């Protein structure tokens, strides 16, 4: 039982150099579904998201647009990143910006602490830097450029040229933590998930860890190094700290103790920052390492990672305007194994919307509610003697409840949805085999009709609860139509099969209306 235990989950904080695309929304939605699930299981849940606003990438974009970086960030946060949360229906508890005072002050506190403890020294570094990644690259991460960049070395992720930098910087003695990191991966095999990500991280650390350059002195858009204000803190070092500055690190010990450690959800491209650098930073500061780091896959377009810089970005609203936010959430989390890459296509989205949401779940809900309205004047009937078919539905309710919660515990979001969907399919099969519309024609079958409708009604209530993290809008409508008390979000998801419903149904509009695709 999950009662009372605390659960803190984070998304990466997003660079504000550009507007969000569906890859960013995917990260948000995944973390949101997991957090809603835990909240509905009675856990003291906290979901954090936010924006990453310092560094050269943002500075350059702002300069190119003739505004200060802070003006640029304010505009993007207000016009693009906060609206994204509405667009895909995110129920975050907090939104942190790295320009917040609560963040900047405590980044300095953290850094000073590491400096005082001898984890930081002055050094010199020369290497290739990718501003897109905000990271120094090793030779193996560079590939020959093509097209306009023919003859130059480019970053393998951004396909843009890297820059040779030579700077006197402050360094974090990260190499000193290699053994402790390896011991951590060994002792807690699920610290880095999925398995493929863990293997990659382990072999990366085994091959030897360098120290990390954590300051820059050639520009000043960042948090000032507390003992030397000619340097700003390296943007990743600054950004990673958001996960603790947002929950009271340095200023509210009780809040920090209540929330930390977090489960981090990140894209696999930024896994190493979270699974190597971040725990090493925390170890150096004497703080607990994260609860875990999950690296999800990429949304691919034309076989490549979707990205605005490569002009393959699709805005989330392009999908939600037509299909709605529930369909967005459902599609990306059920069609792609969480942890794997997935190709997006409009055809696949439209086909799944029709087959699974409209015909599968939506139609089931409409039919059951409409039959109770028609055959019972809207009064929810009670079951009489239960047959094997009825008992089977009840056992599938139990199984779907247990399996989906168990899958969420493993962060296997797609499996959790699939477990709940077994009940959608089972209920549709049940209606087909029990034929309540035929029973309704025969007054001698009244008890049986009422039993079938009562069983189906309860199954639908269980489904509303189980699917509410993924389909918050549709399940809220369904909950109202079922005449059930309170809100669906207040119901315990880990006991969805024991849900208590209402006595009177009301009309239910189509949950997933037919979509006329233009063209
Ligand atoms: N600012 C850093 C994160 C700092 S966290 C302390 C950053 N920002 S980002 O805006 O570039 O990316 C944020 C997230 O979006 C990452 O998890 C990244 O993997 C994800 N995605 C960006 N493009 C994506 C796809 N095409 N597909 C799936 N996720 C993608 O990195």
């Amino acid at each position: 039982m999950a009662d009372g235990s605390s659960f803190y989950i984070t998304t990466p904080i997003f660079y504000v150099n550009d507007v969000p695309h569906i890859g960013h929304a995917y990260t948000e939605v995944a973390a949101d579904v997991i957090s809603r699930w835990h909240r509905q299981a009675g856990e003291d849940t906290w979901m954090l998201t936010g924006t990453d606003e310092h560094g050269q990438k943002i500075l350059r974009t702002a300069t190119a647009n003739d505004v200060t970086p802070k003006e640029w960030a304010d505009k993007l946060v207000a016009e693009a990143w906060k609206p994204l949360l509405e667009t895909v229906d995110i129920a975050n508890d907090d939104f942190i910006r790295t320009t917040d005072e609560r963040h900047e002050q405590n980044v300095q506190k953290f850094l000073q602490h590491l400096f005082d403890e001898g984890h930081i020294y002055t050094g010199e570094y020369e290497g290739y830097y990718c501003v897109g990644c905000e990271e120094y690259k090793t030779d193996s991460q560079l590939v020959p450029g093509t097209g306009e960049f023919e003859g130059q070395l480019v970053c393998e992720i951004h396909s843009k040229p890297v820059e040779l930098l030579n700077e006197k910087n402050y360094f974090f003695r990260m190499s000193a933590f290699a053994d402790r990191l390896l011991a951590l991966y060994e002792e807690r095999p699920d610290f880095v998930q999925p398995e493929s990500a863990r293997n990659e991280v382990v072999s990366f650390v085994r091959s030897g860890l360098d120290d990390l350059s954590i300051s820059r002195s050639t520009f000043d858009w960042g948090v000032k190094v507390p003992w030397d204000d000619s340097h700003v803190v390296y943007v990743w070092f600054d950004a990673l700290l958001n996960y603790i500055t947002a929950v009271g690190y340095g200023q509210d010990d009780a809040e920090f103790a209540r929330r930390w450690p977090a489960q981090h959800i990140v894209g696999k491209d930024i896994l190493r920052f979270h699974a190597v650098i971040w725990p090493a930073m925390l170890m150096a500061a004497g703080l607990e390492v994260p609860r875990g780091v999950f690296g999800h896959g990429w949304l691919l377009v034309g076989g490549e990672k979707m990205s605005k810089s490569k002009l393959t970005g699709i805005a989330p609203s392009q999908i939600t305007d037509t299909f709605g936010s529930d369909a967005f959430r459902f599609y990306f989390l059920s069609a792609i194994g969480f942890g794997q890459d997935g190709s997006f296509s409009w055809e696949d989205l439209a086909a799944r919307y029709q087959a699974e949401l409209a015909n599968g779940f939506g139609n089931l809900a409409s039919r059951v509610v409409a039959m109770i309205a028609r055959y019972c004047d809207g009064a929810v009937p009670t079951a009489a003697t239960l047959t094997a078919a009825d008992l089977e539905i009840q056992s599938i309710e139990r199984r779907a409840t247990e399996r989906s919660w168990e899958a969420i515990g493993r962060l296997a979001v797609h499996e959790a949805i699939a477990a709940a969907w077994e009940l959608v399919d089972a209920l549709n099969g049940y209606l087909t085999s029990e034929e309540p519309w035929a029973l309704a024609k025969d007054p001698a079958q009244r008890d049986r009709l009422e039993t079938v409708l009562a069983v189906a009604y309860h199954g639908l209530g269980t489904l509303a609860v189980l699917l509410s993290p993924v389909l918050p809008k549709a399940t809220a409508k369904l909950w109202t139509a079922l005449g059930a008390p309170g809100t669906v979000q207040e119901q315990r998801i880990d006991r969805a099969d024991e849900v208590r419903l209402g006595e009177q149904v009301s009309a239910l509009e189509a949950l997933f209306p037919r979509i006329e695709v233009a063209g």
Side-chain angles (χ1 to χ4, degrees):
M1 199 67 13
D3 277 294
S5 55
S6 105
F7 183 76
Y8 173 31
I9 187 164
T10 68
T11 70
I13 49 172
F14 299 88
Y15 287 130
V16 291
N17 63 310
D18 213 337
V19 297
H21 59 57
I22 60 175
H24 304 121
Y26 176 57
T27 307
E28 282 287 357
V29 162
D32 184 59
V33 166
I34 297 165
S35 78
R36 285 177 187 256
W37 219 295
H38 280 265
R39 194 174 292 120
Q40 271 190 250
E43 294 187 355
D44 181 17
T45 301
W46 197 253
M47 179 195 162
L48 175 71
T49 189
T51 43
D52 191 353
E53 306 184 6
H54 292 133
Q56 227 162 343
K57 172 147 108 167
I58 313 300
L59 177 61
R60 284 187 186 176
T61 308
T63 309
N65 285 279
D66 285 330
V67 290
T68 66
K70 181 64 167 56
E71 282 166 348
W72 178 261
D74 286 348
K75 179 177 156 69
L76 269 278
V77 167
E79 292 175 8
W81 290 94
K82 285 200 168 161
L84 167 70
L85 305 176
E86 296 281 314
T87 305
V88 291
D89 209 357
I90 305 299
N92 56 308
D93 297 287
D94 194 2
F95 188 98
I96 189 160
R97 302 178 54 178
T98 52
T99 50
D100 286 349
E101 197 177 298
R102 60 173 169 162
H103 177 72
E104 294 191 342
Q105 267 181 4
N106 292 301
V107 166
Q108 290 190 322
K109 201 175 259 184
F110 184 94
L111 206 67
Q112 186 69 51
H113 178 61
L114 259 53
F115 187 68
D116 295 344
E117 296 289 315
H119 295 295
I120 292 176
Y121 62 93
T122 321
E124 206 166 317
Y125 196 78
E126 182 172 91
Y128 289 110
Y129 195 81
C130 169
V131 176
C133 294
E134 292 281 17
E135 184 187 20
Y136 278 107
K137 294 284 164 181
T138 58
D139 291 347
S140 66
Q141 294 170 312
L142 301 176
V143 293
T146 52
E148 61 175 314
F149 304 127
E150 187 92 45
Q152 300 181 57
L153 283 177
V154 299
C155 162
E156 63 180 348
I157 294 175
H158 288 89
S159 306
K160 295 219 170 121
V162 286
E163 299 169 24
L164 186 64
L165 297 187
N166 184 323
E167 275 190 82
K168 182 180 144 291
N169 296 136
Y170 291 102
F171 280 74
F172 166 47
R173 244 180 256 286
M174 189 163 72
S175 57
F177 294 92
D179 290 344
R180 279 182 65 186
L181 287 170
L182 288 170
L184 168 68
Y185 310 141
E186 188 71 36
E187 279 157 25
R188 286 172 45 188
D190 57 359
F191 178 73
V192 184
Q193 289 188 83
E195 180 75 19
S196 54
R198 175 180 182 268
N199 295 340
E200 190 211 297
V201 164
V202 170
S203 63
F204 174 75
V205 176
R206 274 210 190 112
S207 71
L209 271 192
D210 290 333
D211 290 341
L212 181 72
S213 162
I214 56 157
S215 73
R216 304 290 306 277
S217 59
T218 50
F219 63 92
D220 68 354
W221 178 234
V223 179
K224 295 229 179 304
V225 170
W227 62 87
D228 178 353
D229 67 8
S230 66
H231 283 246
V232 291
V233 180
Y234 169 47
V235 61
W236 266 103
F237 202 88
D238 162 356
L240 288 163
L241 287 165
N242 90 86
Y243 300 130
I244 59 173
T245 59
V247 289
Y249 167 78
Q251 60 188 29
D252 184 344
D253 293 345
E255 181 67 5
F256 186 60
R258 175 175 176 187
R259 303 290 173 208
W260 188 253
Q263 171 65 52
H264 300 307
I265 304 293
V266 301
K268 63 181 182 180
D269 48 328
I270 57 171
L271 186 81
R272 277 189 204 167
F273 294 97
H274 287 82
V276 181
I277 299 177
W278 179 225
M281 286 166 62
L282 290 160
M283 285 171 179
L287 298 172
E288 216 179 315
V289 298
R291 172 183 174 132
V293 180
F294 190 98
H296 68 68
W298 286 341
L299 299 190
L300 308 175
V301 169
E304 270 200 62
K305 178 182 179 228
M306 172 182 308
S307 103
K308 280 283 284 191
S309 61
K310 290 186 180 169
L311 301 177
T312 51
I314 298 171
S317 58
Q318 279 179 265
I319 292 178
T320 56
D321 285 351
T322 305
F323 293 90
S325 56
D326 277 2
F328 185 104
R329 300 164 64 90
F330 174 79
Y331 174 67
F332 287 106
L333 294 181
S334 64
I336 304 171
F338 196 49
Q340 261 136 49
D341 291 347
S343 293
F344 168 75
S345 85
W346 289 98
E347 293 73 19
D348 191 33
L349 166 63
R352 282 177 191 264
Y353 176 91
Q354 198 51 43
E356 292 166 26
L357 292 177
N359 297 345
F361 178 50
N363 198 22
L364 169 72
S366 312
R367 284 200 292 168
V368 173
V369 171
M371 284 191 284
I372 295 174
R374 190 174 324 136
Y375 305 139
C376 312
D377 281 334
V380 177
T382 30
T385 320
L386 297 178
T387 64
D390 308 335
L391 293 170
E392 175 67 8
I393 290 295
Q394 292 179 346
S395 103
I396 294 172
E397 284 179 21
R398 252 189 321 278
R399 195 163 73 206
T401 302
E402 278 161 18
R403 286 193 182 166
S404 56
W405 180 226
E406 183 273 332
I408 284 295
R410 291 183 284 112
L411 301 171
V413 187
H414 57 294
E415 286 183 43
I417 299 173
W421 221 259
E422 259 194 61
L423 183 55
V424 174
D425 293 338
L427 284 168
N428 275 317
Y430 177 75
L431 292 184
T432 306
S433 67
E434 302 308 308
E435 298 187 306
W437 47 88
L439 298 171
K441 291 187 184 135
D442 179 359
Q445 298 277 16
R446 185 72 199 173
D447 271 5
R448 184 63 201 144
L449 169 68
E450 293 192 353
T451 302
V452 170
L453 291 180
V455 168
Y457 174 81
H458 193 272
L460 210 48
T462 299
L463 266 183
V465 177
L466 285 181
L467 293 174
S468 64
V470 186
L471 305 172
K473 292 203 167 87
T475 53
K477 281 187 203 156
L478 174 56
W479 193 252
T480 305
L482 292 177
T487 67
V488 68
Q489 261 126 34
E490 288 159 5
Q491 311 306 313
R492 286 291 293 252
I493 202 164
D494 53 337
R495 296 184 211 139
D497 55 322
E498 295 168 20
V499 67
R500 301 195 73 83
L501 299 165
E503 283 159 17
Q504 191 75 27
V505 300
S506 58
L508 179 63
E509 56 181 292
L511 293 178
F512 300 97
R514 173 170 283 284
I515 286 171
E516 301 304 336
V517 185

